[in-house]
């Protein structure tokens, strides 16, 4: 079976269109400060997706050395509700610096340190009444997992993945690590795999906390136990071995290339081969949340 | 000629001993969460240097996955005035995350995003009356440059390097980039060199701002113009070409290996082959500043 990202995104698109129709005149600015072709494609794609639901989108291009100044200007511009930077710009640690320049009031990607801290400490509100922003790609993975029926709605919130095992292959700060934490926050036992080894993310003893431990489990043994496998290895050569997957498995690929053997997974479980459309819907949802939190007329009335 | 770091550090050591003798009972905690031998050597060396001037130093070792929790505990511990983490721990972006966990009240290395932002915007105070923390290694380089007599004390503060050209080979977020900004803040024209190219850091039109531009200058041409050359390339194979250095040049090496040909530089200028002792003095000075800012009985009285 295949999960089509468009089908998952459709419900969110309807919500977003409705919010815009009700008066949320929101604007997203994309900042392109590199000459990466994929970044430009993503920018064009974001633009189309925003226009389709009634969100204003402006692409600004600038030299990388002007980027910080442009971000500071946009932080202060009340007509702009979200800032999206297409990385990498400088590469390495300087890009982390830039991520923190983006105001928490405009950070649609949730990459400011304050949102990241909140995520790892399962703090749901950045200020009283203002819900946190969670990064778009891991949030999209969660929505696909929900769509696939893996969450048990009979259990209380925060426990709905109890008993479920998930392997996430990728532990970047952008996707893999926040995703592992979010799934553990929802009750799953998560094997977080990268080239340096495997960590286990799970609920801590104190409700609302998570516990992360080093693990000596072999990757393929982790896969054999997993109800869900999420992979984001940016390589044409990497494949999750189908023979290690359990019947009924839900597989999600967020790498630009396919990390799964489509026919193999189709035969035994469900594959979501690409999540980009859900990611964009989450970006728009984050934008609306920022608007509700910080710009709408009832921003101080506990919107959302 | 050779500049001995111990001689540069000596004056600061005396200041620090005096401050401690006058009642600044400060404590630094070093956190070792890797099994890097160099990190352990640095930890032992910090300990000895602290004990020599009367600063309490405690080394805590922990698993990397416990590090965040330990930092949060230490942030809340009123008997601890500074936290020093020996990196790399996880490597990559996760270490940036950890840097931001350290409270600005305990961040002796000045690597919290708020201090970094202040440095690049030449904001000298983190709160009214509380001077910012600047990272130790670039600060040590500045002190060596001062010791070598490059600053013109007849000029106003912020202009004392006016007319001076400096090449900094390394543009890491830990040393090279902050150093370039600090020297530009003091009026120098700085060529900032790394493998991706050369940038120029210099005073902006608005006093107190700096301007950074991409440059097409060749590295060796930058060297030929430079009154000061600072190099931190962690490779045994890299050498700054002596034939490109001007007579009277001041050279500073902060790499673990020597990036300069000692005899060659000695013949035409001045070499500071290692700055570790000054770096430790700056670490202690930062610790005292944190104490004055946030812990001393007159912390709200504008101590400095």
């Amino acid at each position: 079976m295949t999960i089509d990202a468009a089908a998952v995104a459709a419900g969110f698109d309807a919500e977003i269109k409705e919010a815009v129709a009700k008066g949320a005149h929101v604007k997203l600015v994309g900042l392109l400060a590199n000459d990466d072709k994929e970044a430009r494609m993503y920018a064009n794609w974001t633009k189309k997706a925003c226009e389709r639901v009634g969100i204003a989108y402006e692409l600004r291009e600038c030299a990388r050395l002007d980027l910080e100044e442009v971000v500071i200007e946009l932080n202060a511009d009340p007509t702009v509700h979200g800032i999206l930077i297409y990385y990498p710009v400088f590469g390495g640690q300087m890009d982390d610096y830039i991520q923190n320049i983006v105001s928490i009031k405009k950070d649609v990607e949730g990459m400011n340190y304050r949102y990241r801290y909140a995520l790892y400490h399962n703090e749901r509100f950045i200020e009283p009444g203002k819900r946190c922003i969670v990064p778009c790609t891991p949030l999209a993975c969660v929505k696909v997992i929900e769509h696939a029926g893996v969450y048990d709605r009979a259990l209380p919130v925060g426990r709905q993945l109890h008993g479920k095992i998930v392997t996430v292959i990728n532990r970047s700060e952008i996707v893999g690590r926040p995703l592992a934490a979010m799934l553990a926050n929802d009750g799953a036992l998560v094997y977080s795999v990268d080239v340096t080894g495997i960590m286990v993310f799970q609920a801590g003893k104190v409700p609302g906390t998570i516990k992360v431990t080093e693990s000596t489990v072999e990757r393929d043994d982790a896969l054999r136990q997993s109800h869900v496998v999420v992979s984001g290895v940016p390589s044409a050569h990497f494949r999750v071995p189908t023979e290690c997957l359990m019947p009924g498995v839900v597989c999600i690929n967020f790498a630009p290339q396919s990390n799964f053997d489509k026919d193999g997974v189709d035969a035994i479980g469900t594959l979501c081969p690409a999540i980009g459309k859900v990611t964009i819907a989450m970006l728009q949802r984050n934008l609306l949340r920022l608007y509700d939190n910080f710009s709408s007329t009832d921003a101080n009335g506990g919107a959302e």
Side-chain angles (χ1 to χ4, degrees), chain A:
Chain A
M1 284 195 300
T2 298
I3 296 177
D4 178 8
V8 182
F12 298 109
D13 284 355
E15 276 179 26
I16 291 158
K17 277 184 189 167
E18 193 188 333
V20 172
K22 280 188 179 163
H25 298 298
V26 289
K27 180 175 173 183
L28 176 65
V29 174
L31 288 176
L32 192 60
N34 60 26
D35 42 21
D36 188 297
K37 280 183 191 168
E38 283 189 28
R40 184 173 295 274
M41 278 178 47
Y42 181 44
N44 290 334
W45 197 39
T46 327
K47 182 179 170 69
K48 281 182 196 163
C50 284
E51 289 172 352
R52 211 179 53 236
V53 294
I55 290 174
Y57 177 88
E58 179 188 336
L59 179 64
R60 283 212 203 162
E61 300 188 42
C62 66
R64 61 180 187 166
L65 285 174
D66 294 328
L67 179 61
E68 181 172 356
E69 205 169 276
V70 173
V71 171
I72 290 170
E73 283 170 17
L74 294 173
N75 280 343
D77 182 343
T79 70
V80 174
H81 306 99
I83 299 170
L84 172 62
I85 300 171
Y86 299 100
Y87 292 102
V89 178
F90 296 94
Q93 292 189 295
M94 196 167 159
D95 283 355
D96 285 75
Y97 172 81
I98 299 285
Q99 283 177 340
N100 281 301
I101 299 286
V102 179
S103 162
I104 60 162
K105 298 184 178 183
K106 313 262 168 130
D107 182 12
V108 280
E109 298 198 276
M111 290 312 297
N112 181 295
Y113 156 76
R114 289 179 58 194
Y115 286 125
R116 293 164 69 190
Y117 181 90
L119 191 155
Y120 294 113
H121 295 85
N122 203 12
E123 296 174 0
R124 306 278 170 135
F125 295 87
I126 193 77
E127 289 173 16
K130 300 186 195 304
R131 290 180 74 89
C132 284
I133 298 298
V134 168
C136 310
T137 304
L139 186 56
C141 292
V142 168
K143 296 301 176 186
V144 171
I145 294 169
E146 284 181 355
H147 184 90
V150 181
Y151 278 70
D152 183 347
R153 297 305 187 194
L155 293 174
V157 169
R159 299 265 301 154
Q160 295 183 347
L161 289 179
H162 180 70
K164 297 296 192 297
I165 297 178
V166 182
T167 294
V168 179
I169 307 177
N170 172 304
R171 197 164 55 236
S172 67
E173 287 292 288
I174 313 292
V175 188
R177 190 164 81 104
L179 176 59
M182 289 157 73
L183 296 170
N185 278 337
D186 287 340
L189 184 148
V190 183
Y191 292 112
S192 168
V193 180
D194 82 357
V195 288
T196 69
I198 297 187
M199 294 179 188
V200 173
F201 287 61
Q202 57 192 313
K205 280 182 190 161
V206 178
T209 66
I210 59 171
K211 188 179 165 191
V212 186
T213 45
E214 312 276 357
S215 172
T216 56
V217 71
E218 294 288 329
R219 185 200 67 187
D220 289 352
D221 289 331
L223 290 171
R224 286 185 189 97
Q225 305 167 33
S226 292
H227 305 90
V228 177
V229 177
V230 184
S231 185
V233 179
S235 160
H237 305 293
F238 177 76
R239 278 283 184 295
V240 175
T242 309
E243 66 276 17
C244 297
L245 299 176
M246 66 160 65
V249 68
V250 173
C251 295
I252 301 173
N253 179 67
F254 70 85
Q257 305 85 359
S258 179
N259 289 174
F260 294 93
D261 168 35
K262 185 182 182 315
D263 294 341
V265 176
D266 275 353
I268 58 159
T270 305
L271 174 65
C272 183
I275 60 164
K277 287 180 181 169
V278 190
T279 300
I280 298 254
M282 293 304 106
L283 183 77
Q284 297 170 337
R285 209 159 167 257
N286 281 351
L287 182 68
L288 286 168
R289 178 168 289 178
L290 289 170
Y291 176 82
D292 285 343
N293 278 349
F294 300 109
S295 296
S296 75
T297 49
D298 59 355
N300 297 316
E304 145 78 72

